[in-house]
Short mmCIF file of all heavy atoms in Angstrom, two decimals:
data_model
loop_
_atom_site.label_atom_id
_atom_site.label_comp_id
_atom_site.label_asym_id
_atom_site.label_seq_id
_atom_site.Cartn_x
_atom_site.Cartn_y
_atom_site.Cartn_z
N ALA K 23 64.94 58.06 -126.43
CA ALA K 23 66.07 57.65 -125.55
C ALA K 23 66.21 56.14 -125.42
O ALA K 23 67.32 55.58 -125.59
CB ALA K 23 65.94 58.33 -124.18
N PRO K 24 65.08 55.43 -125.15
CA PRO K 24 65.22 53.95 -125.07
C PRO K 24 65.74 53.30 -126.36
O PRO K 24 66.14 52.14 -126.35
CB PRO K 24 63.80 53.50 -124.75
CG PRO K 24 63.00 54.67 -124.39
CD PRO K 24 63.69 55.87 -124.98
N LEU K 25 65.58 54.03 -127.46
CA LEU K 25 66.02 53.47 -128.76
C LEU K 25 67.44 53.87 -129.06
O LEU K 25 68.00 53.68 -130.13
CB LEU K 25 65.08 53.96 -129.85
CG LEU K 25 63.59 53.61 -129.71
CD1 LEU K 25 62.75 54.23 -130.78
CD2 LEU K 25 63.39 52.08 -129.68
N GLY K 26 68.10 54.55 -128.08
CA GLY K 26 69.53 54.89 -128.22
C GLY K 26 69.76 56.18 -129.00
O GLY K 26 70.86 56.42 -129.50
N ILE K 27 68.73 57.01 -129.11
CA ILE K 27 68.89 58.27 -129.85
C ILE K 27 68.81 59.42 -128.85
O ILE K 27 67.83 59.51 -128.12
CB ILE K 27 67.81 58.42 -130.94
CG1 ILE K 27 67.93 57.32 -131.98
CG2 ILE K 27 67.96 59.79 -131.65
CD1 ILE K 27 66.87 57.32 -133.05
N GLU K 28 69.79 60.30 -128.89
CA GLU K 28 69.80 61.44 -127.99
C GLU K 28 69.28 62.63 -128.79
O GLU K 28 69.69 62.89 -129.91
CB GLU K 28 71.22 61.69 -127.49
CG GLU K 28 71.34 62.81 -126.54
CD GLU K 28 72.80 63.19 -126.22
OE1 GLU K 28 73.71 62.37 -126.58
OE2 GLU K 28 73.04 64.29 -125.69
N VAL K 29 68.35 63.38 -128.13
CA VAL K 29 67.82 64.56 -128.82
C VAL K 29 68.30 65.86 -128.11
O VAL K 29 68.11 65.98 -126.92
CB VAL K 29 66.26 64.54 -128.80
CG1 VAL K 29 65.67 65.69 -129.57
CG2 VAL K 29 65.74 63.22 -129.39
N ILE K 30 68.88 66.72 -128.88
CA ILE K 30 69.24 68.06 -128.34
C ILE K 30 68.31 69.12 -128.93
O ILE K 30 67.95 69.03 -130.08
CB ILE K 30 70.71 68.50 -128.59
CG1 ILE K 30 71.38 67.67 -129.71
CG2 ILE K 30 71.52 68.61 -127.43
CD1 ILE K 30 72.73 68.22 -130.00
N SER K 31 68.01 70.09 -128.12
CA SER K 31 67.13 71.14 -128.64
C SER K 31 67.84 72.08 -129.60
O SER K 31 69.07 72.13 -129.57
CB SER K 31 66.55 71.97 -127.48
OG SER K 31 67.59 72.76 -126.92
N GLN K 32 67.09 72.75 -130.45
CA GLN K 32 67.74 73.66 -131.39
C GLN K 32 68.50 74.73 -130.60
O GLN K 32 69.54 75.19 -131.02
CB GLN K 32 66.70 74.29 -132.33
CG GLN K 32 65.68 75.22 -131.67
CD GLN K 32 64.77 75.91 -132.70
OE1 GLN K 32 63.98 75.21 -133.38
NE2 GLN K 32 64.89 77.19 -132.84
N ARG K 33 67.97 75.17 -129.42
CA ARG K 33 68.68 76.17 -128.65
C ARG K 33 70.00 75.67 -128.14
O ARG K 33 71.01 76.35 -128.21
CB ARG K 33 67.77 76.62 -127.48
CG ARG K 33 67.95 78.05 -127.10
CD ARG K 33 66.77 78.67 -126.37
NE ARG K 33 65.81 79.25 -127.32
CZ ARG K 33 64.49 79.23 -127.10
NH1 ARG K 33 64.00 78.76 -126.00
NH2 ARG K 33 63.67 79.75 -127.96
N GLU K 34 69.94 74.43 -127.62
CA GLU K 34 71.22 73.84 -127.14
C GLU K 34 72.24 73.71 -128.28
O GLU K 34 73.43 73.78 -128.05
CB GLU K 34 70.96 72.42 -126.58
CG GLU K 34 70.31 72.42 -125.20
CD GLU K 34 69.78 71.05 -124.78
OE1 GLU K 34 69.43 70.22 -125.64
OE2 GLU K 34 69.72 70.82 -123.59
N ALA K 35 71.74 73.53 -129.53
CA ALA K 35 72.61 73.39 -130.68
C ALA K 35 73.03 74.77 -131.22
O ALA K 35 73.77 74.87 -132.20
CB ALA K 35 71.96 72.58 -131.77
N GLY K 36 72.48 75.83 -130.65
CA GLY K 36 72.89 77.19 -131.07
C GLY K 36 72.04 77.80 -132.14
O GLY K 36 72.44 78.77 -132.80
N ALA K 37 70.87 77.25 -132.39
CA ALA K 37 70.01 77.80 -133.44
C ALA K 37 68.77 78.44 -132.80
O ALA K 37 67.84 77.78 -132.42
CB ALA K 37 69.54 76.71 -134.40
N ASP K 38 68.85 79.72 -132.71
CA ASP K 38 67.74 80.45 -132.08
C ASP K 38 66.90 81.09 -133.18
O ASP K 38 67.10 82.24 -133.53
CB ASP K 38 68.33 81.55 -131.16
CG ASP K 38 67.28 82.01 -130.15
OD1 ASP K 38 66.18 81.45 -130.16
OD2 ASP K 38 67.58 82.92 -129.32
N CYS K 39 65.97 80.28 -133.78
CA CYS K 39 65.20 80.84 -134.87
C CYS K 39 63.77 80.30 -134.77
O CYS K 39 63.50 79.28 -134.12
CB CYS K 39 65.79 80.44 -136.19
SG CYS K 39 65.81 78.69 -136.52
N GLU K 40 62.85 81.04 -135.38
CA GLU K 40 61.44 80.62 -135.44
C GLU K 40 60.94 80.93 -136.83
O GLU K 40 60.36 81.99 -137.01
CB GLU K 40 60.65 81.35 -134.34
CG GLU K 40 59.34 80.69 -134.06
CD GLU K 40 58.78 81.07 -132.64
OE1 GLU K 40 59.47 81.75 -131.88
OE2 GLU K 40 57.64 80.63 -132.39
N PRO K 41 61.21 80.05 -137.81
CA PRO K 41 60.79 80.37 -139.16
C PRO K 41 59.28 80.44 -139.35
O PRO K 41 58.57 79.83 -138.55
CB PRO K 41 61.33 79.15 -139.97
CG PRO K 41 61.47 78.09 -138.97
CD PRO K 41 61.81 78.74 -137.66
N GLU K 42 58.84 81.18 -140.30
CA GLU K 42 57.41 81.34 -140.54
C GLU K 42 56.89 80.02 -141.13
O GLU K 42 57.40 79.50 -142.12
CB GLU K 42 57.16 82.48 -141.55
CG GLU K 42 55.71 82.85 -141.58
CD GLU K 42 55.38 83.82 -142.71
OE1 GLU K 42 56.33 84.41 -143.28
OE2 GLU K 42 54.19 83.99 -143.01
N GLU K 43 55.82 79.49 -140.47
CA GLU K 43 55.25 78.19 -140.92
C GLU K 43 54.12 78.51 -141.89
O GLU K 43 52.96 78.51 -141.56
CB GLU K 43 54.76 77.43 -139.69
CG GLU K 43 55.84 76.98 -138.76
CD GLU K 43 55.36 76.27 -137.53
OE1 GLU K 43 54.41 75.51 -137.62
OE2 GLU K 43 55.97 76.54 -136.47
N ASN K 44 54.51 78.79 -143.13
CA ASN K 44 53.51 79.20 -144.09
C ASN K 44 53.10 78.11 -145.10
O ASN K 44 52.54 78.35 -146.14
CB ASN K 44 53.95 80.49 -144.83
CG ASN K 44 55.31 80.34 -145.45
OD1 ASN K 44 55.85 79.21 -145.49
ND2 ASN K 44 55.92 81.41 -145.92
N GLY K 45 53.44 76.86 -144.73
CA GLY K 45 52.99 75.74 -145.56
C GLY K 45 51.52 75.45 -145.29
O GLY K 45 50.91 75.96 -144.35
N THR K 46 50.96 74.58 -146.19
CA THR K 46 49.57 74.25 -146.03
C THR K 46 49.39 72.81 -145.60
O THR K 46 48.27 72.31 -145.42
CB THR K 46 48.77 74.46 -147.37
OG1 THR K 46 49.42 73.67 -148.37
CG2 THR K 46 48.73 75.89 -147.80
N THR K 47 50.49 72.07 -145.37
CA THR K 47 50.42 70.68 -144.92
C THR K 47 51.38 70.55 -143.74
O THR K 47 52.33 71.31 -143.58
CB THR K 47 50.82 69.67 -146.01
OG1 THR K 47 52.19 69.92 -146.36
CG2 THR K 47 49.89 69.79 -147.21
N PHE K 48 51.16 69.51 -142.95
CA PHE K 48 52.09 69.18 -141.85
C PHE K 48 53.50 68.94 -142.39
O PHE K 48 54.50 69.40 -141.86
CB PHE K 48 51.61 67.96 -141.07
CG PHE K 48 50.31 68.19 -140.34
CD1 PHE K 48 49.20 67.41 -140.67
CD2 PHE K 48 50.20 69.09 -139.34
CE1 PHE K 48 47.99 67.58 -140.01
CE2 PHE K 48 48.98 69.30 -138.63
CZ PHE K 48 47.90 68.51 -138.97
N ALA K 49 53.56 68.24 -143.56
CA ALA K 49 54.89 67.92 -144.12
C ALA K 49 55.64 69.16 -144.56
O ALA K 49 56.83 69.33 -144.31
CB ALA K 49 54.68 66.96 -145.31
N GLU K 50 54.90 70.08 -145.23
CA GLU K 50 55.57 71.34 -145.64
C GLU K 50 56.13 72.11 -144.44
O GLU K 50 57.27 72.58 -144.46
CB GLU K 50 54.60 72.25 -146.39
CG GLU K 50 54.42 71.88 -147.81
CD GLU K 50 53.29 72.72 -148.50
OE1 GLU K 50 52.87 73.76 -147.95
OE2 GLU K 50 52.84 72.28 -149.56
N ASN K 51 55.33 72.22 -143.40
CA ASN K 51 55.73 73.00 -142.23
C ASN K 51 56.88 72.30 -141.50
O ASN K 51 57.81 72.94 -140.98
CB ASN K 51 54.62 73.28 -141.30
CG ASN K 51 53.69 74.40 -141.84
OD1 ASN K 51 54.13 75.21 -142.60
ND2 ASN K 51 52.43 74.40 -141.35
N ALA K 52 56.82 70.98 -141.43
CA ALA K 52 57.92 70.24 -140.77
C ALA K 52 59.22 70.45 -141.54
O ALA K 52 60.29 70.67 -140.90
CB ALA K 52 57.55 68.74 -140.66
N MET K 53 59.14 70.44 -142.84
CA MET K 53 60.36 70.65 -143.71
C MET K 53 60.91 72.08 -143.51
O MET K 53 62.13 72.26 -143.45
CB MET K 53 60.05 70.43 -145.16
CG MET K 53 59.97 68.97 -145.58
SD MET K 53 61.46 68.04 -145.22
CE MET K 53 62.66 69.10 -146.01
N ILE K 54 59.98 73.07 -143.44
CA ILE K 54 60.43 74.48 -143.24
C ILE K 54 61.21 74.57 -141.95
O ILE K 54 62.33 75.16 -141.90
CB ILE K 54 59.19 75.42 -143.20
CG1 ILE K 54 58.57 75.53 -144.62
CG2 ILE K 54 59.58 76.78 -142.64
CD1 ILE K 54 57.22 76.20 -144.63
N LYS K 55 60.72 73.99 -140.87
CA LYS K 55 61.38 74.09 -139.59
C LYS K 55 62.71 73.31 -139.57
O LYS K 55 63.74 73.82 -139.07
CB LYS K 55 60.44 73.59 -138.45
CG LYS K 55 59.25 74.51 -138.26
CD LYS K 55 58.41 74.07 -137.04
CE LYS K 55 57.29 73.15 -137.41
NZ LYS K 55 56.31 72.94 -136.33
#
Side-chain angles (χ1 to χ4, degrees):
L25 302 176
I27 300 177
E28 184 189 345
V29 183
I30 13 176
S31 70
Q32 66 175 66
R33 211 157 274 149
E34 285 166 331
D38 200 1
C39 64
E40 197 158 356
E42 193 188 347
E43 294 177 39
N44 53 11
T46 56
T47 63
F48 295 117
E50 277 173 18
N51 283 338
M53 282 303 307
I54 289 169
K55 292 186 268 194

